[in-house]
Amino acid sequence: MYPSIHINLEKYRHNLNYLHHLSKEHGQSVMVVTKVFCADRKLIDVINTTAIEYIADSKIENLKKIKTEKMKVLLRIPQLSQVNEVVKYSDLSLNSELKVIEALDLAAKNINQKHRILLMFDIGDLREGIFYKSDYLPMISKILTLEHIELFGIGTNLTCFGGVIPTAETLNKLQIIKEDIEKHFSISLNMISGGNSSAIQMLKDEKLPSFINNLRIGEAFVLGRETAYGKQIENMFDDVFTLKAEIVELKEKPSMPEGLLGFDAFGKPANFTDRGNMNRAILGIGRQDVDCENLIDGPDTNILGCSSDHLIVELKTNQYAVGNVLTFKLTYAGILRLMTSPYVRRVYENNL
Ligand SMILES: *Cc1c(COP(=O)(O)O)cnc(C)c1O
């Protein structure tokens, strides 16, 4: 039965070990981010075979089900409505709101525990975090009085919303904050979590400032690419995940629709160029499972578009027939959608 997403466990293990080794050489501990594959059990088992220090996810539901000896980290700022689960199922959470941190303190007190937090700073990407120019010392002063909260460190997130690429100049803003906090309160922060897959180019170029001692990596492990410039990392696999979908119709048809043209099924105006007749295949997968923009063409295919449940592809050779299966490499968003769809079967290859 198709569609199916094929997960090569050995390639994932290779990517994990390769990049973890590189990070450790440069003094960085690593959080492996599992949200893109919904913390799939088999992939968690692969992570458990490595020496990577932390497993991180944005959903507490995922952290709850993960079986591991490693430290669990909640990436998304906790919702006030879930603080009890957060202190129970995560060892460390990323935070930016005093109100939430106070609620975490109370929740931790109730179960007689201490909860670790990383305080996030926004140094320009405009996603989560205390804006670096604001007066953050009063907030930290309050946090340090909370008996069931441990300020484990600080962190920042780049190249997520604003597309800001990590540079020495940008990361210096975080260094100033670190030094300011340590000096003002006479404390030393354990963890400075300075980046995600967009920090890897700096790491490889030996340019990642040494005050940063932790990276949170998702995409590079699954796709073997850094995300500041979108470059493939040598010796890493880009095809840990691939999609297989079946041809349900294959006909020679024109490239131009015929008749008065309005809008497609998703409200976009019809826009076609006439390239004569072509071999057109329809595959049994659609936008309900994945956006066709997130599938990558191979040498034989030219993806034309998709509707809710049909993917339409031009085939550049005559070697296919109805019932054949096509394989596609995927983008990050493609893996995310396919792993979230209950209609896509998961097939594990190269079991360890
Ligand atoms: C998802 C996420 C990451 C991982 O980013 P990648 O670009 O996939 O490496 C890191 N940090 C936070 C806070 C995240 O939400």
Side-chain angles (χ1 to χ4, degrees):
M1 275 274 285
Y2 298 93
S4 51
I5 186 161
H6 293 249
I7 308 167
N8 191 310
L9 300 176
E10 191 52 54
K11 286 183 179 176
Y12 187 58
R13 176 154 79 167
H14 170 89
N15 282 359
L16 290 170
N17 284 327
Y18 181 81
L19 200 53
H20 181 232
H21 187 71
L22 190 75
S23 305
K24 258 179 56 182
E25 268 181 5
H26 291 80
Q28 307 293 324
S29 69
V30 170
M31 296 181 187
V32 48
V33 176
T34 56
K35 63 193 179 196
V36 68
F37 50 77
C38 308
D40 175 275
R41 174 85 186 264
K42 289 258 192 181
L43 288 162
I44 296 293
D45 286 346
V46 175
I47 295 167
N48 283 335
T49 70
T50 72
I52 290 177
E53 295 85 355
Y54 301 85
I55 296 185
D57 203 288
S58 52
K59 291 192 172 68
I60 200 71
E61 298 91 325
N62 287 348
L63 292 179
K64 183 177 172 180
K65 72 177 184 189
I66 290 173
K67 293 201 170 32
T68 187
E69 300 291 310
K70 299 182 189 297
M71 299 258 269
K72 294 183 185 180
V73 181
L74 180 65
L75 290 173
R76 189 167 59 193
I77 307 301
Q79 299 169 35
L80 269 178
S81 58
Q82 58 176 203
V83 288
N84 292 322
E85 286 78 11
V86 174
V87 297
K88 201 161 161 199
Y89 301 116
S90 73
D91 301 295
L92 176 69
S93 63
L94 276 47
N95 283 273
S96 64
E97 291 286 352
L98 184 60
K99 196 172 171 185
V100 175
I101 297 166
E102 285 171 341
L104 288 169
D105 178 56
L106 197 62
K109 184 179 176 199
N110 286 339
I111 57 170
N112 220 347
Q113 271 187 12
K114 203 152 181 159
H115 183 71
R116 288 178 165 172
I117 63 164
L118 280 188
L119 203 55
M120 295 301 281
F121 284 89
D122 176 358
I123 55 174
D125 198 55
L126 301 183
R127 210 180 74 174
E128 74 274 49
I130 301 159
F131 196 58
Y132 76 101
K133 282 183 178 167
S134 66
D135 183 13
Y136 46 81
L137 292 174
M139 174 173 172
I140 293 171
S141 164
K142 286 224 177 76
I143 292 170
L144 293 174
T145 66
L146 301 173
E147 277 180 35
H148 296 271
I149 294 291
E150 178 187 344
L151 179 61
F152 193 62
I154 60 173
T156 197
N157 202 39
L158 291 170
T159 338
C160 258
F161 181 75
V164 175
I165 288 173
T167 58
E169 195 186 355
T170 293
L171 291 173
N172 185 246
K173 296 171 184 166
L174 191 67
Q175 183 161 14
I176 290 171
I177 292 167
K178 170 196 186 283
E179 287 166 3
D180 189 26
I181 295 172
E182 292 189 333
K183 193 160 147 247
H184 194 270
F185 296 102
S186 302
I187 56 174
S188 130
L189 297 167
N190 282 299
M191 180 181 279
I192 313 296
S193 186
N196 52 33
S197 295
S198 72
I200 292 169
Q201 194 58 45
M202 282 189 96
L203 182 81
K204 286 166 51 84
D205 294 343
E206 317 270 339
K207 288 194 176 130
L208 194 68
S210 60
F211 81 94
I212 291 170
N213 63 11
N214 174 267
L215 296 174
R216 309 174 307 273
I217 309 273
E219 178 157 348
F221 286 136
V222 294
L223 284 171
R225 66 196 279 276
E226 56 80 33
T227 54
Y229 308 94
K231 279 198 290 197
Q232 202 59 38
I233 305 167
E234 70 276 11
N235 300 319
M236 289 186 77
F237 292 105
D238 65 353
D239 58 352
V240 174
F241 293 82
T242 51
L243 169 72
K244 289 191 192 296
E246 183 175 329
I247 300 175
V248 297
E249 179 188 297
L250 176 54
K251 296 189 191 303
E252 190 181 320
K253 289 190 194 179
S255 45
M256 272 296 277
E258 228 179 276
L260 180 65
L261 298 189
F263 297 91
D264 71 14
F266 286 83
K268 290 214 200 95
N271 182 13
F272 293 89
T273 36
D274 192 352
R275 295 192 285 122
N277 276 11
M278 53 172 65
N279 272 327
R280 297 171 73 98
I282 297 181
L283 279 64
I285 186 166
R287 282 198 198 274
Q288 194 155 29
D289 310 300
V290 72
D291 285 322
C292 41
E293 294 79 11
N294 295 319
L295 309 182
I296 297 169
D297 272 316
D300 293 349
T301 60
N302 174 27
I303 294 168
L304 297 170
C306 54
S307 61
S308 308
D309 41 24
H310 296 76
L311 171 66
I312 301 150
V313 174
E314 173 189 359
L315 293 178
K316 297 183 191 165
T317 75
N318 285 321
Q319 70 187 64
Y320 293 103
V322 168
N324 285 172
V325 167
L326 297 182
T327 302
F328 297 92
K329 287 189 188 179
L330 300 162
T331 66
Y332 184 82
I335 298 170
L336 183 77
R337 290 286 304 281
L338 290 162
M339 290 300 284
T340 309
S341 172
Y343 302 104
V344 178
R345 194 166 52 98
R346 297 179 187 180
V347 179
Y348 301 95
E349 292 171 350
N350 289 354
N351 278 281
L352 306 182

